[in-house]
Amino acid sequence: MEDPIQLKEEGNKYFQANDYEKAVQSYTQAIKLNKDKALQAVLYRNRAACFLKKEEYAKAASDASRAIDINASDIKALYRRSQALEKLGKLDQAFKDAQKCATIEPRNKNFQETLRRLGANIQDKLRIQFSTDLRVQKMFEILLDENSEKEKREKAANNLIVLGREEAGAERIFQNNGVSLLLQLIETKNAELILAAVRTLSGMCTGHKARATAILHYLGIDNICMWMSVDNEEISLAVCNLLQTITDCLLGQGKEEHHGKDEAVVLDTKKDLRMITMRLLDMLVSKEVSGQGRDQALNLLNKNIPRKDLKDHDNSRTIFVIDNGLKKILKVAGQIPEMPDCLPLTENTQLTASVLLNKLYDDLRCDPERDNYRVICEEYIKSKIDPQDMDKTLHAIQMVSGVLQGPFDLGNKLLGMKGVMEMMVALCGSEREIDQLVAVEALIHASTKLSRATFIISNGVTLLKEIYKKTKNEKIKIRALVGLCKLGSAGGTDYGLRQFAEGSTEKLAKQCRKWLCNTSIDARTRKWAVEGLAYLTLDADVKDDFVEDELALQAMFELAKTSDKTILYSVASALVNCTNSYDTKELVPELVQLAKFSKQHVPEEHPKDKKDFVVKRVKRLLKAGVVSALACMVKVDSAILTDQSKELIARVFLALCEDPKDRGTIVAQGGGKALIPLAVEGTEVGKIKASHALAKIAAISNPDMAFPGERVYEVVRPLVSLLNTERDGLQNYEALLGLTNFSGRSDKLRMKIVKERALPDIENYMFENHDQLRQAATECMCNLVVNKEVQERFVADGNDRLKLVVLLCGEDDEKVQVAAAGALAMLTAAQKKLCSKMTEVTTQWLEILQRLCLHDNMEVQHRGLVIAFNLISADKELAKKLVESELLEILTYIGKQEDDPKKQHIINVARDCLTRCMDYGLIKPLSRA
């Protein structure tokens, strides 16, 4: 092996000979072999000089930064970085580095000259930059000139969007007739220009209520809704985002900024919000609106009408929508795509309408409000049911189907209305295929609850079997099969409550898998096969066969990635069943015996639901690429991705993360990134499950790889949320392991953990009786004490933090001792006050310190001696106390030992302690034997 110092010298020779390529090779080789930090800084600094000569400025800046990370006052590295940054055009950063150089060496003329030059260049750059008016004018000229080159137009469009996101730029555009010019861009009918204009307007409205209101009034809500109605997904979504941004400002949500007098100009926003709501409701039933536009209108209503927090008593927006628009939403839910008079829809429209119906119903506060909602629905059905006009009746049954997918209890009440159930049965027996299609779907949605299903089993199974046998239409056949699947799984996971004869569910599942893999059938019909499997996979034989069928799994994952998002819940349900990540009730043996004695039904577990079968299924799913499918599902920006769906996905992720060996695969396929939003939004259970899965990944993964960039800071809060007595011990433990891993990475991460108020919780776990929890918390604290703010909390009066750490050093648990002694060594090295404070917090401090210094574990012993050295270095009086105790004898014994490579670091610290005592004149040197 070559010597790093020799390689450095070799690199220097090549540099002097202007052979920069070979110099870089020598320095690179030395960097790989070197272990010494000071030399490493020199090597990076020298390699940065080579890159400067080679005009590879980004690499030069990177190497100089690495040298500065090791030694912040490395003047050569600072100057080289300044030169590189200047060449890269980052003048402000270059100026800061040059300023630091001039501060360290104020008389250096070269640094003073560089500062003057950079200062002048920055002024020139700012002068050009702040002529924003000219830039804005120029951009609009390029964009509105039809003869402009395509590349120039694209660049101008992107620059305009960026400018609109900056406060200064947005204000300049607004003041210089920019909104009028942006309106001209929209009127060009050119898709790229429309997108650029709409996105610029979104940036201008963000966080500025006055500007957002003015833009809303200038553009007009009718125009905005018209643009959102176009049959172009990208434009429709961009306009939807613009309207959401305006709504956020009017509601006082989102990025709040205060703009002085501007705010006083804003009138009462309620009128504007009401006007937006009315136009969105009108869009729902307009034939002029595209399917995309209708979806976006429904998404906006879903997002902004129901209360975010049920503790807020004001549900007036929901009441307003029910009174003015419930019938319009019901009309969308009652549309039949196969009928000629159907409104333009996408695959997602009707389920989005059902989600909205559910959210509005859940947002009601009392029975009179719910009764009013029900009465409107009943009136709508009565107005549609007409035995003489089957088409009208079909719409009524389809609407009931829509409600059953939303507020199910209300749907059940509507089923009980006179004539509804009879009409469904009559439609099943109709000759028209469309009648059968609608009736079968309604039957499927009606049989969700076991009590309701038992009624339908006795009535509907015969009907469904009849349809299944007779019909030649695949679409109806598959739906009838799903109805049978749903009824067949009404017993849930209870092996003893099988609805159908042995083997029937397997046959149904086989047929579903066959349809799922048949690409010649349209996606909408294949989706029903997944729906069937979502029910049938409650049976362990079915799920075992399903995960073995890789083609069927791939087909399901591909469907989950398509634009049809109505499949999300079914896919998530099937995966929850396959991974057994649903909640199960623990059976108390005594109660089971009692139930059997009294001849009550006792739930039975299927043999294939035991742990080893579940583990095999998880491995098969991972191999088939389940993680990328789940990551794709999480990205959906639609009301269809409900909190319940998110919870199911979080449950699956947690089951997948169970084996530490699989966590690397999960991260590589985007699982880490997908879990973050699931841990932040959704049901309480879903957030806990996702946070736990994140903790499992964070505990053993390199955070830079698992959560690159700024993403790692978003993971801290979910981990801290698990440090709660309501969570179980495993969740606490794995969250602590994750935080320990994070706190060892950087001070910025340590700061984030402190800001999330995790410190008191971590301290609580240091008191825990459970050994592993106590150890994990102490290790986490050991990493956190490097942070200045944490140290100051230990220094502050009126707390027992230091006492706790000192007492933990005296624990019998070796791992706890290692961590506690490490924390104490760092604290006493960083804060002299803590050295004297340590001797006051407990009378046992000296005995504990002596035990550390005599410990059999070399790691503990080394940390104990470092603490002793810190105490001796801090204060002569403290040193005197230690010399007068038995510790002197211990130090002398260790210091006199022969040199030994294995424990040289320990011997050296003991000798340093003795040397420091000699310097104080507390002991006299003795010749070594």
Side-chain angles (χ1 to χ4, degrees), residues 736-779:
L736 285 166
L737 290 185
L739 290 170
T740 303
N741 196 3
F742 279 16
S743 56
R745 302 304 295 180
S746 71
D747 204 55
K748 199 174 170 188
L749 266 172
R750 286 189 280 273
M751 205 63 235
K752 175 72 178 167
I753 293 168
V754 173
K755 277 183 181 168
E756 290 295 340
R757 298 176 187 163
L759 222 56
D761 293 317
I762 295 166
E763 284 167 357
N764 286 342
Y765 287 108
M766 288 166 76
F767 283 108
E768 266 288 338
N769 287 328
H770 194 286
D771 289 347
Q772 282 178 297
L773 277 176
R774 195 164 71 249
Q775 176 202 324
T778 311
E779 284 172 355

Side-chain angles (χ1 to χ4, degrees), residues 570-604:
S570 304
V571 173
S573 298
L575 291 171
V576 163
N577 293 340
C578 289
T579 54
N580 283 40
S581 45
Y582 41 72
D583 289 329
T584 49
K585 286 180 183 174
E586 265 188 59
L587 298 177
V588 181
E590 291 80 5
L591 290 177
V592 171
Q593 291 302 320
L594 195 64
K596 282 180 180 174
F597 180 74
S598 57
K599 296 189 177 168
Q600 295 290 319
H601 172 71
V602 179
E604 294 174 40

Side-chain angles (χ1 to χ4, degrees), residues 627-628 631 662-673 697 701 705-708:
V627 177
S628 57
D662 296 328
R663 293 173 200 169
T665 311
I666 291 163
V667 167
Q669 292 176 6
K673 182 184 175 184
I697 291 171
S701 307
M705 303 282 283
F707 313 105

Side-chain angles (χ1 to χ4, degrees), residues 792-829:
E792 280 160 18
R793 293 192 187 196
F794 273 87
V795 172
D797 294 328
N799 70 73
D800 284 334
R801 288 191 176 97
L802 189 65
K803 181 179 181 179
L804 172 62
V805 174
V806 174
L807 292 173
L808 285 172
C809 288
E811 283 278 319
D812 292 333
D813 187 323
E814 214 166 90
K815 286 179 178 173
V816 171
Q817 271 187 309
V818 170
L824 196 53
M826 280 188 272
L827 285 167
T828 49

